[in-house]
Amino acid sequence: EAAAGGGKILQGVHAVNPTNPSTTSDDYTSMDLEAAITPSATSSKILILANIKVGVYADANLAYPMFKIFRDTGAGDDALGDTYKTAIGRGDGLSGNFQYTPDMGWSYLDSPSVDTEVTYSVQMSNNDSCGATLYTDNGDIALVEVGV
């Protein structure tokens, strides 16, 4: 019989955003959506699962809400993975109106290579500063430590 390999779930953490922040900036901005985990070994991987709903108010033709996952091991934030984005346009009832995006969910598998606390956060940006105001609603983040 072969010995069991890696891939075991070691722990999990879940958090929701306690506020509904907004931004008009094209710089990445905190959404108050973060969670911290302390890996049990430097070889562990962290599976990050994020889900958010975004509200947009704009007088523009299009709005481009963009999101990124950031990791902080105590030495500042590092952006992870791709930028997750969507577009909302006039056909979606946007111009001069408030519009919600569908729930947006994504994941990222990180190798932080530390056994000290790591904080992961989701931040948003208003691409192209198109004059839209972005609001977040019902966001959550889950961190799952996977033994290797």
Side-chain angles (χ1 to χ4, degrees):
E1 182 175 318
K8 292 183 175 70
I9 303 301
L10 303 178
Q11 64 175 312
V13 176
H14 179 256
V16 296
N17 57 331
T19 63
N20 298 92
S22 65
T23 188
T24 56
S25 175
D26 60 354
D27 293 327
Y28 280 95
T29 305
S30 171
M31 292 176 43
D32 295 329
L33 181 55
E34 65 180 40
I37 193 167
T38 302
S40 51
T42 58
S43 60
S44 292
K45 297 195 179 295
I46 306 297
L47 176 62
I48 305 143
L49 304 166
N51 182 60
I52 57 168
K53 180 178 276 191
V54 180
V56 179
Y57 182 84
D59 288 322
N61 288 333
L62 287 171
Y64 301 96
M66 297 173 43
F67 305 89
K68 246 187 193 313
I69 296 171
F70 287 81
R71 172 185 64 206
D72 185 357
T73 57
D77 287 342
D78 294 317
L80 301 176
D82 295 329
T83 298
Y84 303 91
K85 57 189 168 187
T86 188
I88 303 175
R90 282 189 190 271
D92 300 313
L94 174 64
S95 184
N97 296 301
F98 186 80
Q99 177 76 23
Y100 269 114
T101 66
D103 282 358
M104 296 173 34
W106 65 96
S107 61
Y108 183 80
L109 186 62
D110 187 32
S111 301
S113 301
V114 298
D115 57 4
T116 56
E117 185 176 85
V118 182
T119 300
Y120 293 92
S121 63
V122 177
Q123 297 183 20
M124 66 179 165
S125 168
N126 187 4
N127 189 34
D128 294 334
S129 291
C130 63
T133 302
L134 306 180
Y135 301 87
T136 59
D137 189 25
N138 300 326
D140 68 307
I141 186 171
L143 309 176
V144 180
E145 180 183 4
V146 181
V148 178

